Amino acid sequence: MRLPLLALGLLLFCALAAPLLAPGDPLAGSADALLAPLSPGHPLGTDDLGRDLLALLIHGSRVSLAVGLASSVCSLAIGVLAGAVAGWLGGWADAAVMRVAEFFQTLPRFVLALIVIALAGPGIGKVIAVIAVLAWPQTARVVRAEIAALRGAAFVDAARLGGMPGPAIVLREVLPQVAGPVLVLAALDVATAILLEAGLGFFGLGDPNLASWGAMLNEAQQYLRSAWWMSVFPGLAIGATVLVFNALGDAAAASLDPRGR
Amino acid sequence: MTGPILEARDLVRGFRLPGPLFGPRRILRAVGGVSLALAAGESLALVGESGSGKTTLGRMLVGLSRPDAGTIRFRGEVLSGPQRPVQMVFQDTAAALNPRRTVGASVMLPFLWNRRLPRAEAEAAARALFARVGLPPETFFARLPHALSGGQRQRVGIARALASDPAVLVADEPVSALDVSVRAQILRLFADLRAERGLATLFITHDLGVVRAVTQRVAVLYRGQVVEQGPTAQVMDHPRHPYTQALRAATPVPDPARARPTPPPPPDAAILPGCPFRARCPAAAPACATPPVLRNLAPDHLISCHFA
Amino acid sequence: MSALLDIAGLTVALADGATLVEDLSLAVARGETVGLVGESGSGKTMTAHAVLGLFPAPGIAVTRGHIRLEGTDLATLPPAARRGVRGRRIGMVFQDPSSYLDPLLTAGRHIGEAFRAHGVTDRLPARVAAALASVDLPASAAARFPHELSGGQRQRVLIAAALALDPALLIADEPTTALDVTVQAGILDLLRRAARARGLGVLLITHDLGVVAETCDRVAVMYAGRIVEQNDVRALFAAPRHPYTQGLLASVLDPGRDAPPFAMPGGVPAAHAMPRGCRFHPRCPLALPDPCAAAVPPFAGGLACWRADAARAGAWAAA
């Protein structure tokens, strides 16, 4: 639990304090240091426009985390709501919600994201929205299955007999039991969203006014041989961040098991 | 004489069985026209084996499940859905408690919702109930269910049912999952509470020993129908329906000198028309192809058999 | 006559030293049915696990004593030989038949697997039919899936599989607890007949004294990991000597008698909170600070009680 939390803290700190930490403006290049290798002045080297990679990387964490966290929160909200309605009510409500969820699940995520951004123009808000809309069905499925199973549980019956109205039972008795698997999914969603955002950036569909890890990789493709640092460091940053969120998910699941306490 | 406090009339409940993809779905009749009445302060047993429909019937009586046909009245008013005065104690003590809530919080729940008490009062009342059911609140109130034994959890379950201040308690196999020595403690608690609060209690059980120990009247259920009903001592000592007789004879006794007689043939999947017990009945005759009706043997003794 | 199964001084403990079974000695002869009775937490099921050499969780181990089957100390056997003993020499039947049957295998396949697991592959259909016949099931039952069988029939299939290789010992752990009473009697009768006809030793583990009374030749009563009393079944039921046995018998509810339920106070202690001295002393009406609360009573003459003389008159008479 400690290690992933520590890593998350470090990431958040980087993102929040980016202007203080980064050496200079990430988007300001200097013509005299194009594709400069690692040096004391540029600890991670510079890119083809002479921009400092460390500064880009630190500022890029803002985009990645913002997209990851915001889209995960949105998909979590939609997914839990849809899943709770489907699982608790059952019947036609269940069928309706699940058909809609299936529709979104059958859409090829990345292609759809590409099309939407290409048509509507780039922008971090659109990226977040697209990812959230594509990710919620998975959460909804898990929540629905868990709630449908718990709907007949004796302690839920007991709460009904105790006078608790249905919505309160869902909110206070049932949903907390689902918190473990849902949090795992949410953490995985963050990781997936970060990857998706990087992918969009890689195809040049990120927000051109923001430094992002995906965009950095996009520019690095031409220099894979000549300037390895341009691809390696953003790649490592993406990989490490995804791992951190996966680990967080597992840790959250373990700590939410009441028997473990 | 006052009327019954809880009265069920002609309750029917079926379940759709998973059937073939095409063609008509089979309907399993779990409860097929059961009428029961429970007087205030009375203790009635509902006895049957697995598949007799006793649990389904219990769930309908507390409003957790809706009958397909028939009515349930509490003090003369038709019930639909769960009501504060009719509460339930469950068999599986672990499943009946929210694993993430302290047992104290579970007992507070009916005080907060059914009785609309402010938090502090609800907690004080819940603590008092803990003490009443034999769990010192200072030790147990803040524990999670898994840290309690089965007997202790059942005491919590009883306290929770009492928290709604019920007039009727439906107890579904409340001691069958408990150890022998703990079982008696819980049964005594039920008996004491009934005497002290005038609680009408319906014990759903398969255990005739439990029936004799804590009930005054018994209804024997077979395949969703009451086949015999009467005063407990009378039905236990002189069972009249062949099924009650079989059940009574099959109950093991802790005495190596007394052997159980040979049991009746096991239940058969085939459902013959007529008397539901026909396929297993040692006394079955052609007349049994017409379904017997529940009739009075004596004013308080009902039976559904052509030959009893 | 040497015993078929001979357990001596068996202690089963958790990794932290808490004992689940302590200093247990028990013998089962050929053709004999021995009941091991106790409530949950008594260690009766753990004793069965020890005989099988299979524990339900890591960290549980036999720390002392030995278990001999037909003269061989099971602990000295290499794992492969131990596996061979299970199934071939020791058959097993458990409480919940459904969870031991693969829902996708027919009854016949399930019994067939019992043969195949021990290298018997010839004349399988005939062997399966014979195994089914031995538990009073028709040969047509071989084609049925578990969900097409009743609870009693499922248990019969498991017994058939357990007896398939003609073992010397059958361990039956609560074999009828999940079954309706009208089905119970048939299963118990089957076990009794198997014991008699095959010279099978049966270790019947149960909490139900009624089941013991009608099935067993001898009974050992366990409480909190120890055997507190052991006797011939008639003698034990006619004159229980240990206060716990007396209390347990008094707790049985008789549908033929009007009597308020008798309740022993307290509950079975947890493995990590075993009382010192006699483990029953906190619940015992006859307990004295010394010796009951101070020293473990020795097991002698089929009884482990410091207050045997006082208990003769009935420990709970006043209660």
Side-chain angles (χ1 to χ4, degrees):
Chain A
M1 192 70 201
R2 291 254 174 79
L3 204 62
L5 268 184
L6 211 66
L8 178 70
L10 198 70
L11 268 169
L12 285 173
F13 177 70
C14 271
L16 291 172
L20 303 173
L21 288 175
D25 183 350
L27 298 177
S30 67
D32 49 304
L34 301 179
L35 297 175
L38 285 57
S39 70
H42 300 289
L44 301 182
T46 65
D47 69 2
D48 53 335
L49 298 173
R51 296 180 296 192
D52 182 74
L53 268 183
L54 182 62
L56 279 171
L57 214 54
I58 290 176
H59 278 271
S61 70
R62 297 183 130 188
V63 174
S64 289
L65 281 184
V67 169
L69 292 174
S71 59
S72 166
V73 167
C74 293
S75 84
L76 192 68
I78 307 172
V80 168
L81 187 69
V85 166
W88 186 257
L89 296 180
W92 64 265
D94 180 25
V97 169
M98 290 332 284
R99 292 305 84 76
V100 174
E102 276 159 17
F103 169 74
F104 280 104
Q105 279 198 308
T106 52
L107 296 175
R109 285 187 177 206
F110 194 70
V111 177
L112 188 79
L114 276 178
I115 294 170
V116 170
I117 302 294
L119 291 179
I124 191 167
K126 286 170 208 158
V127 175
I128 291 171
V130 166
I131 296 177
V133 161
L134 289 173
W136 70 268
Q138 210 186 350
T139 311
R141 271 181 186 287
V142 171
V143 171
R144 169 190 173 267
E146 299 266 341
I147 288 190
L150 285 170
R151 191 169 51 165
F155 75 86
V156 170
D157 285 340
R160 288 173 66 191
L161 289 171
M164 229 183 188
I169 293 178
V170 175
L171 217 58
R172 302 167 74 157
E173 298 288 307
V174 180
L175 276 180
Q177 320 287 331
V178 185
V182 165
L183 273 182
V184 177
L185 269 185
L188 291 175
D189 272 353
V190 175
T192 322
I194 289 173
L195 280 175
L196 202 59
E197 188 280 329
L200 290 172
F202 180 78
F203 282 94
L205 293 169
D207 193 326
N209 300 316
L210 292 171
S212 103
W213 294 343
M216 290 168 75
L217 282 177
N218 173 33
E219 281 152 34
Q221 349 174 16
Q222 307 163 42
Y223 306 102
L224 281 178
R225 285 161 201 271
S226 51
W228 57 267
W229 51 91
M230 277 184 69
S231 50
V232 166
F233 293 116
L236 280 177
I238 293 168
T241 308
V242 167
L243 278 180
V244 164
F245 279 100
N246 283 344
L248 269 176
D250 289 347
S255 74
L256 281 169
D257 189 341
R259 279 158 303 180
R261 269 185 264 169
Chain B
M1 188 183 149
T2 53
I5 188 160
L6 190 72
E7 186 180 19
R9 196 165 289 168
D10 301 323
L11 290 186
V12 174
R13 169 83 191 184
F15 291 103
R16 265 195 231 159
L17 292 178
L21 201 51
F22 303 101
R25 296 249 250 162
R26 287 199 302 148
I27 304 263
L28 176 78
R29 260 208 173 183
V31 175
V34 171
S35 298
L36 279 178
L38 192 60
E42 186 192 24
S43 176
L44 171 68
L46 194 57
V47 176
E49 295 182 282
S50 50
S52 63
K54 58 189 195 297
T55 292
T56 309
L57 190 55
R59 288 178 61 81
M60 287 194 286
L61 291 174
V62 297
L64 284 173
S65 162
R66 226 173 256 280
D68 297 334
T71 53
I72 300 160
R73 286 170 196 273
F74 174 75
R75 292 204 169 108
E77 302 211 8
V78 175
L79 275 189
S80 62
Q83 302 288 323
R84 184 195 59 75
V86 186
Q87 291 295 320
M88 187 164 204
V89 174
F90 299 85
Q91 171 177 16
D92 184 342
T93 61
L97 291 167
N98 186 331
R100 285 169 194 280
R101 269 183 191 273
T102 63
V103 290
S106 286
V107 176
M108 278 171 69
L109 190 149
F111 282 118
L112 293 169
W113 292 92
N114 256 342
R115 299 176 67 185
R116 300 275 160 202
L117 291 188
R119 252 199 121 65
E121 281 178 45
E123 180 170 343
R127 284 179 176 273
L129 272 184
F130 264 68
R132 176 61 196 92
V133 299
L135 297 172
E138 55 279 10
T139 314
F140 290 99
F141 202 76
R143 290 211 190 157
L144 288 170
H146 71 84
L148 267 59
S149 71
Q152 289 164 346
R153 280 197 296 260
Q154 195 55 293
R155 288 175 192 271
V156 173
I158 293 168
R160 173 177 55 195
L162 294 178
S164 296
D165 194 22
V168 177
L169 205 56
V170 174
D172 186 2
E173 298 274 14
V175 296
S176 66
L178 303 179
D179 274 321
V180 184
S181 70
V182 180
R183 191 173 288 187
Q185 296 172 4
I186 299 293
L187 290 177
R188 275 199 168 179
L189 180 60
F190 272 110
D192 291 348
L193 290 169
R194 193 168 68 83
E196 170 183 313
R197 300 178 172 234
L199 263 178
T201 314
L202 181 73
F203 270 93
I204 299 175
T205 181
H206 68 279
D207 187 333
L208 297 185
V210 170
V211 171
R212 185 70 183 247
V214 291
T215 68
Q216 302 152 332
R217 223 151 49 83
V218 56
V220 181
L221 211 59
Y222 186 76
R223 280 204 170 141
Q225 292 183 15
V226 173
V227 294
E228 185 166 3
Q229 195 185 115
T232 299
Q234 194 177 323
V235 174
M236 290 298 111
D237 292 339
H238 308 287
R240 298 289 296 273
H241 193 282
Y243 177 63
T244 319
Q245 289 166 353
L247 211 54
R248 182 71 183 80
T251 301
V253 277
D255 182 353
R258 286 196 327 211
R260 275 198 269 200
T262 341
D268 197 273
I271 297 175
L272 303 176
C275 173
F277 191 56
R278 196 176 146 208
R280 289 172 77 186
C281 187
C288 300
T290 42
V293 286
L294 200 61
R295 62 190 163 90
N296 282 86
L297 268 181
D300 56 355
H301 198 155
L302 297 171
I303 195 154
S304 158
C305 176
H306 294 301
F307 298 105
Chain C
M1 184 175 104
S2 79
L4 167 68
L5 175 73
D6 178 28
I7 307 176
L10 177 74
T11 298
V12 177
L14 292 166
D16 61 10
T19 55
L20 303 172
V21 176
E22 201 168 85
D23 197 20
L24 178 138
S25 299
L26 185 70
V28 180
R30 278 173 235 284
E32 184 185 39
T33 300
V34 176
L36 195 55
V37 188
E39 299 181 276
S40 54
S42 64
K44 58 189 195 299
T45 293
M46 220 35 86
T47 305
H49 285 299
V51 174
L52 295 170
L54 292 170
F55 287 108
I60 304 174
V62 172
T63 53
R64 258 184 318 121
H66 59 76
I67 302 167
R68 290 205 179 90
L69 183 75
E70 302 174 304
T72 313
D73 189 344
L74 293 179
T76 62
L77 291 178
R82 192 90 200 247
R83 267 197 302 280
V85 168
R86 283 195 294 269
R88 193 178 273 281
R89 303 308 299 154
I90 309 178
M92 300 157 271
V93 180
F94 302 95
Q95 172 172 351
D96 177 13
S98 312
S99 56
Y100 289 91
L101 286 170
D102 185 334
L104 299 179
L105 290 190
T106 60
R109 274 289 297 280
H110 186 90
I111 297 169
E113 285 303 321
F115 287 107
R116 257 181 241 120
H118 292 276
V120 180
T121 51
D122 61 318
R123 297 188 298 114
L124 270 188
R127 288 180 193 272
V128 168
L132 283 170
S134 74
V135 293
D136 302 334
L137 285 178
S140 62
R144 301 262 186 95
F145 286 96
H147 73 270
E148 297 173 313
L149 300 168
S150 71
Q153 290 171 328
R154 278 179 224 151
Q155 194 60 289
R156 282 171 193 266
V157 169
L158 280 182
I159 293 173
L163 298 180
L165 286 135
D166 208 11
L169 177 72
L170 179 74
I171 296 182
D173 190 355
E174 303 276 9
T176 58
T177 304
L179 303 176
D180 283 325
V181 281
T182 51
V183 180
Q184 243 181 42
I187 298 288
L188 294 177
D189 179 55
L190 187 67
L191 291 178
R192 230 175 359 230
R193 277 189 286 141
R196 222 163 278 149
R198 302 170 182 240
L200 183 73
V202 179
L203 183 60
L204 180 73
I205 293 165
T206 180
H207 72 282
D208 190 330
L209 290 164
V211 166
V212 170
E214 89 180 72
T215 316
C216 299
D217 303 307
R218 262 184 326 116
V219 199
V221 180
M222 282 189 87
Y223 183 77
R226 288 178 160 273
I227 290 182
V228 293
E229 182 169 0
Q230 202 183 126
N231 211 338
D232 169 79
V233 71
R234 281 172 188 271
L236 185 117
F237 279 89
R241 291 178 293 163
H242 196 282
Y244 177 63
T245 317
Q246 294 174 353
L248 215 50
L249 273 168
S251 300
V252 176
L253 302 167
D254 183 349
R257 220 156 36 90
D258 269 321
F262 170 78
M264 271 189 272
V268 178
H272 289 93
M274 284 299 169
R276 277 174 50 82
C278 171
R279 288 177 167 183
F280 187 62
H281 87 261
R283 301 176 74 182
C284 182
L286 301 177
L288 299 172
D290 188 39
C292 300
V296 175
F299 188 81
L303 184 67
C305 180
W306 289 117
R307 305 276 287 148
D309 291 332
R312 201 160 293 148
W316 303 90

